[in-house]
Amino acid sequence: MNYFSSDFKLGILGGGQLGKMILAETRKFDIQTYVLDSSDEAPSRFGSHAFYKGSLMDFDTVYQFGKMVNLLTIEIENVNLDALDKLEAEGLPVFPSPKTLRMIQNKGKQKDFYVENNIPTSPHQRFVDLSDLKKSIEKDELDFPFVWKCAQFGYDGNGVKIVRSAIDLINLPDVECIAEQMVPFKNELAVIVARSVSGEIKTYPVVEMEFHPEANQVEYVICPARIDDKVAQKATDIALQVSQAFNHVGLLAVEMFQTANDEILVNEVAPRPHNSGHYSIEASYTSQFENHLRAILNLPLGNTASKVAGIMVNLVGEEGFSGQVVYENIEKIMAIEGVTPHIYGKRETRPFRKMGHVTIVNEDMTEARKIAEEVKNSIRVISII
Amino acid sequence: MNYFSSDFKLGILGGGQLGKMILAETRKFDIQTYVLDSSDEAPSRFGSHAFYKGSLMDFDTVYQFGKMVNLLTIEIENVNLDALDKLEAEGLPVFPSPKTLRMIQNKGKQKDFYVENNIPTSPHQRFVDLSDLKKSIEKDELDFPFVWKCAQFGYDGNGVKIVRSAIDLINLPDVECIAEQMVPFKNELAVIVARSVSGEIKTYPVVEMEFHPEANQVEYVICPARIDDKVAQKATDIALQVSQAFNHVGLLAVEMFQTANDEILVNEVAPRPHNSGHYSIEASYTSQFENHLRAILNLPLGNTASKVAGIMVNLVGEEGFSGQVVYENIEKIMAIEGVTPHIYGKRETRPFRKMGHVTIVNEDMTEARKIAEEVKNSIRVISII
């Protein structure tokens, strides 16, 4: 197949920052792209051949969009799967497949899938709605504390809550949900697996994530994770096991917990480029975005190894600021060697909104970590007063 | 100044591959961009906020374009300088300045400038037209062999010819030109200097260029150059001297010859991102395109050092092929570790047309050089038969 400067058209469902960074790679290869997003302020509104505004959850919109392209991919899981089923049945390649997406869209199904496939994961229970969960507590079938997760459409801390006592139940929404046993963990790790149409597989190095305690959003992603080689190998093996079970095409980001006794438990997966792989743009031989493209286009996968140590700092909107964004002290951090800001292109900031990220690369991890903290303490995402 | 996700607008004169690679960096910083190019098939027609079709040599077109933006830069030297003068006089920042561009646009003036500034360069003579040059030969003031260069509008081997005897004069165009003494050289080197509005200066490592013997186009660019440290230091010092003399803002690519006795002679300069710096996208901490932006926006310059060894192979149209392009064996080279193709986005190939480039990065230069040759021998830019 001739993708390069040809009539071939790639469709991308979703026009957020992930789509924007995928688009950057399509420009490098000169692949024609069509993008669908519900907002005409979407970060991907530039850089594609055609941008369409429309709901990703609407059957007709997604179906009609799919009819215009030669291959369809996603940058967000929450899309109309019935439309994808129909497109696939009509012969359009859709990667990841609607089958993979259906398994992942619902966190209850996803957890069941791990159990069925002997993939280590924390014990869970599924509930059709909030009253179903409350009944389970009343019957002593579910004990405090537990991690509550809404089964669908949660992201970045939304849709996840630690429930310590009955009082925490009050503000939970009445939706399908799961309750997971709380697992004390030393580290949260992630491995991104790339798998091409023809089945070629490569894994990125294990990364380590540090979370912001309040916002439940990733604060630093550190590559390689500063963990024992044996633990890293185990995490990689389990990520490959998950990849094999899903039989996905494209990237699969596998988030895992490293428990106190060095067990690895799979938390959840994303079948697309992932926040935990943004460091790869600067640090890796081949970025996750390029390898997502290579995988779905059935091109050979690129080298997933790193040239240098990489750390990513998320840029999220500061609490107390809403409106036209200003990146305070961005000049200051740009003066530090190996620091690259990525501004996603959202004009309005809101508390905890993901507005961008900063990558720090260095030959020396200790130095990179020091600089990352300096970056974190310097830059603020605020609004024009 | 707040450039990021703001109303600030950067104008770029020229929409070729250099503009396309600058645009990629503006997207990362979410800077609004306007692009002007004479072709609606220009590689930069995507990825900007607004693309305008119009002649870069037309006063009104360039002037009106300039009135729409907050800062103006170029990706090609051949633009209407009177329009830039007027825009600058009216308060628009133009980087590089029309003064710098005027000095560089004319190769005769450029050579005189080196002589005036005690910058080592090969001896030259200027001629207003072809008959002026012929008269000089008849009067024995100019000896064969010499290098003929048209004074303006030449690029990539066009406008340069080695004249060994009277017979070579027959096909020369009747234009303003210069004759340079032929200098036997060991290496052709280049140093890219970045200089910001506030005068911060950084130099990229010295690169070494190998030319295609027939097309007179660069075949490999190798970073770092495999030369003696002392020669590298001398080349860097001279590049800085040239940069200081021009007092430019933005990048200045300084092409030099290393003579048989290790003298450094300046050949010519380009006040913009340059083919000899394409390797920097994959190999450097900060690419030349990002540093061009940082320089003209008066942001701190990024680290110009390399993470790994880098080699660039130009992808030029194969002789005997014209029409809708096909990149033969591109999948084969993408299977090699550390190989990244950049396809510029020109649908039609022609003999020797610059269609793209491939970067090879590796921790080990010897290995990188081996792979570069494999790449060169594998990929072919041909047309659909």
Side-chain angles (χ1 to χ4, degrees):
Chain A
M1 187 70 205
N2 177 28
Y3 303 114
F4 309 92
S5 300
S6 74
D7 289 324
F8 176 87
K9 287 172 192 66
L10 171 68
I12 304 173
L13 293 173
Q17 60 264 21
L18 300 174
K20 184 185 171 188
M21 291 183 272
I22 294 172
L23 279 184
E25 306 299 340
T26 65
R27 296 298 300 121
K28 196 167 72 180
F29 293 164
D30 196 42
I31 294 166
Q32 288 195 40
T33 46
Y34 283 26
V35 172
L36 178 68
D37 194 272
S38 60
S39 164
D40 49 20
E41 290 278 300
S44 295
R45 66 197 179 283
F46 304 111
S48 65
H49 287 56
F51 177 81
Y52 293 89
K53 187 183 166 183
S55 169
L56 299 170
M57 294 309 292
D58 180 65
F59 179 92
D60 284 332
T61 305
V62 172
Y63 177 73
Q64 293 305 333
F65 178 78
K67 293 308 274 183
M68 296 188 291
V69 300
N70 303 106
L71 193 158
L72 200 53
T73 190
I74 54 109
E75 61 107 53
I76 185 166
E77 292 92 304
N78 295 324
V79 298
N80 189 294
L81 296 185
D82 295 334
L84 296 192
D85 280 337
K86 188 169 160 68
L87 289 163
E88 197 179 48
E90 288 170 8
L92 183 73
V94 180
F95 301 127
S97 71
K99 186 170 156 278
T100 300
L101 285 169
R102 192 163 271 122
M103 200 66 80
I104 289 169
Q105 259 191 5
N106 186 300
K107 285 184 183 167
K109 278 191 196 169
Q110 197 187 130
K111 289 286 281 190
D112 286 352
F113 180 79
Y114 298 141
V115 176
E116 286 156 22
N117 285 275
N118 295 314
I119 292 162
T121 191
S122 61
H124 74 287
Q125 289 167 262
R126 293 179 66 173
F127 303 100
V128 290
D129 56 23
L130 190 60
S131 66
D132 188 22
L133 180 140
K134 285 177 178 170
K135 259 180 253 164
S136 201
I137 294 173
E138 283 159 19
K139 287 194 271 177
D140 269 341
E141 289 167 2
L142 176 63
D143 298 325
F144 298 113
F146 60 85
V147 181
W148 172 89
K149 289 182 180 175
C150 79
Q152 294 202 61
F153 309 121
Y155 68 97
D156 292 342
N158 296 313
V160 178
K161 203 176 168 189
I162 294 170
V163 178
R164 295 181 199 279
S165 65
I167 207 158
D168 290 334
L169 294 171
I170 293 169
N171 288 320
L172 289 182
D174 184 20
V175 291
E176 186 189 344
C177 59
I178 61 171
E180 285 181 8
Q181 189 182 304
M182 274 189 75
V183 181
F185 59 87
K186 284 199 274 194
N187 276 308
E188 183 146 350
L189 308 174
V191 171
I192 294 175
V193 184
R195 185 174 177 281
S196 75
V197 180
S198 66
E200 186 187 3
I201 293 177
K202 287 193 180 179
T203 57
Y204 279 88
V206 184
V207 301
E208 174 193 346
M209 296 185 277
E210 281 183 40
F211 276 69
H212 185 284
E214 286 159 51
N216 197 29
Q217 285 187 320
V218 176
E219 195 161 42
Y220 300 112
V221 173
I222 298 170
C223 180
R226 296 158 302 177
I227 54 171
D228 190 86
D229 281 353
K230 273 188 205 155
V231 177
Q233 189 56 56
K234 195 191 278 184
T236 304
D237 289 345
I238 288 173
L240 282 168
Q241 191 192 342
V242 177
S243 166
Q244 200 153 35
F246 277 112
N247 214 22
H248 64 102
V249 170
L251 300 185
L252 191 75
V254 185
E255 294 185 60
M256 291 166 280
F257 298 116
Q258 177 190 0
T259 66
N261 56 346
D262 287 346
E263 286 305 300
I264 297 290
L265 298 176
V266 172
N267 178 21
E268 57 183 51
V269 300
R272 49 160 172 82
H274 190 250
N275 193 264
S276 67
H278 290 353
Y279 79 90
S280 65
I281 297 174
E282 282 82 12
S284 307
Y285 281 93
T286 308
S287 83
Q288 65 165 344
F289 301 99
E290 183 176 336
N291 262 335
H292 182 71
L293 263 191
R294 287 179 179 231
I296 62 174
L297 297 176
N298 204 23
L299 293 165
L301 297 178
N303 187 357
T304 51
S306 293
K307 300 168 193 167
V308 282
I311 299 184
M312 191 223 38
V313 176
N314 278 320
L315 292 181
V316 299
E318 187 111 344
E319 277 188 279
F321 293 91
S322 288
Q324 165 73 52
V325 68
V326 178
Y327 296 90
E328 195 181 70
N329 291 327
I330 191 163
E331 290 86 355
K332 189 181 162 195
I333 65 158
M334 287 176 80
I336 310 169
E337 289 201 344
V339 170
T340 309
H342 289 258
I343 305 300
Y344 294 157
K346 303 171 185 176
R347 284 179 75 104
E348 304 276 315
T349 183
R350 290 192 300 269
F352 302 115
R353 189 179 193 195
K354 274 192 192 168
M355 301 296 288
H357 74 263
V358 180
T359 311
I360 297 99
V361 291
N362 203 288
E363 285 191 357
D364 178 58
M365 174 58 86
T366 314
E367 184 65 19
R369 184 63 184 77
K370 223 178 70 188
I371 293 171
E373 200 150 324
E374 195 183 338
V375 166
K376 179 83 200 159
N377 293 337
S378 300
I379 193 163
R380 294 201 319 150
V381 183
I382 58 174
S383 55
I384 293 172
I385 291 121
Chain B
M1 186 72 206
N2 177 27
Y3 303 114
F4 309 91
S5 300
S6 75
D7 289 324
F8 176 88
K9 287 171 192 65
L10 171 68
I12 305 173
L13 294 172
Q17 60 263 22
L18 300 174
K20 184 186 171 186
M21 290 183 273
I22 294 172
L23 279 184
E25 305 299 340
T26 65
R27 295 300 298 121
K28 197 167 70 181
F29 292 164
D30 196 42
I31 293 165
Q32 289 195 39
T33 46
Y34 284 24
V35 172
L36 178 67
D37 195 273
S38 60
S39 165
D40 50 20
E41 290 278 300
S44 295
R45 67 196 179 283
F46 304 111
S48 65
H49 288 55
F51 177 82
Y52 294 88
K53 187 183 167 183
S55 168
L56 298 169
M57 294 308 292
D58 181 65
F59 180 91
D60 285 332
T61 304
V62 172
Y63 177 73
Q64 293 305 334
F65 179 78
K67 293 307 274 182
M68 295 189 291
V69 300
N70 303 105
L71 192 158
L72 199 54
T73 191
I74 53 108
E75 61 106 53
I76 185 167
E77 292 92 307
N78 294 326
V79 297
N80 188 295
L81 296 183
D82 294 334
L84 296 192
D85 280 338
K86 188 167 160 66
L87 289 163
E88 197 180 47
E90 288 171 9
L92 183 73
V94 180
F95 302 127
S97 72
K99 186 170 157 280
T100 301
L101 284 169
R102 192 163 271 118
M103 201 64 81
I104 289 169
Q105 259 191 6
N106 186 301
K107 285 184 182 165
K109 280 192 195 167
Q110 197 186 129
K111 289 286 281 189
D112 286 353
F113 179 79
Y114 299 141
V115 175
E116 286 157 21
N117 285 276
N118 294 316
I119 292 162
T121 192
S122 60
H124 74 287
Q125 288 167 262
R126 292 178 66 173
F127 304 100
V128 291
D129 56 22
L130 190 59
S131 66
D132 188 22
L133 179 140
K134 284 177 179 168
K135 260 180 253 163
S136 202
I137 293 173
E138 282 159 20
K139 287 194 274 180
D140 269 342
E141 290 167 4
L142 176 62
D143 298 325
F144 298 114
F146 60 86
V147 180
W148 171 90
K149 290 183 179 175
C150 78
Q152 294 203 60
F153 309 120
Y155 68 98
D156 293 342
N158 296 314
V160 178
K161 201 176 170 189
I162 294 170
V163 178
R164 296 183 197 279
S165 66
I167 206 159
D168 291 334
L169 294 172
I170 294 170
N171 289 319
L172 289 182
D174 183 21
V175 292
E176 185 190 344
C177 59
I178 61 171
E180 285 181 9
Q181 189 182 304
M182 274 189 72
V183 180
F185 59 87
K186 283 200 274 195
N187 276 310
E188 183 146 348
L189 308 173
V191 171
I192 294 175
V193 185
R195 186 173 177 281
S196 76
V197 179
S198 66
E200 185 188 2
I201 292 178
K202 288 194 180 180
T203 57
Y204 279 88
V206 184
V207 301
E208 173 194 346
M209 296 185 277
E210 282 183 41
F211 276 69
H212 184 283
E214 287 159 50
N216 198 28
Q217 285 187 322
V218 176
E219 194 161 43
Y220 300 111
V221 173
I222 298 169
C223 180
R226 296 157 303 175
I227 54 172
D228 191 86
D229 281 353
K230 273 188 205 155
V231 177
Q233 190 56 56
K234 195 191 278 183
T236 304
D237 290 345
I238 288 174
L240 282 167
Q241 190 192 342
V242 177
S243 167
Q244 201 153 33
F246 278 113
N247 214 22
H248 64 102
V249 170
L251 300 185
L252 192 76
V254 185
E255 294 184 60
M256 292 167 279
F257 299 116
Q258 177 189 0
T259 66
N261 57 346
D262 288 345
E263 286 305 301
I264 297 290
L265 299 176
V266 172
N267 178 21
E268 58 183 52
V269 300
R272 50 163 172 80
H274 190 251
N275 192 264
S276 67
H278 289 354
Y279 78 91
S280 66
I281 297 174
E282 282 82 13
S284 307
Y285 281 93
T286 308
S287 84
Q288 66 165 342
F289 301 100
E290 183 175 336
N291 263 334
H292 182 72
L293 262 192
R294 286 178 179 233
I296 62 174
L297 298 175
N298 204 23
L299 293 165
L301 297 178
N303 186 356
T304 51
S306 293
K307 302 169 194 168
V308 282
I311 299 185
M312 191 222 39
V313 176
N314 278 320
L315 292 181
V316 298
E318 188 111 344
E319 278 189 280
F321 293 91
S322 287
Q324 165 72 51
V325 68
V326 177
Y327 296 89
E328 194 181 71
N329 290 327
I330 192 163
E331 289 87 354
K332 188 181 163 194
I333 66 159
M334 287 176 79
I336 310 169
E337 289 201 346
V339 170
T340 309
H342 289 258
I343 304 301
Y344 294 156
K346 302 172 185 175
R347 282 179 76 103
E348 304 276 315
T349 183
R350 291 193 299 268
F352 301 116
R353 188 179 193 194
K354 273 192 193 169
M355 300 297 288
H357 74 263
V358 179
T359 311
I360 297 99
V361 291
N362 202 289
E363 284 193 358
D364 178 59
M365 174 57 87
T366 313
E367 184 64 18
R369 185 63 185 77
K370 224 178 70 187
I371 293 171
E373 200 151 322
E374 195 183 337
V375 166
K376 180 81 200 159
N377 293 337
S378 300
I379 194 164
R380 293 200 320 150
V381 182
I382 57 173
S383 55
I384 293 173
I385 291 122

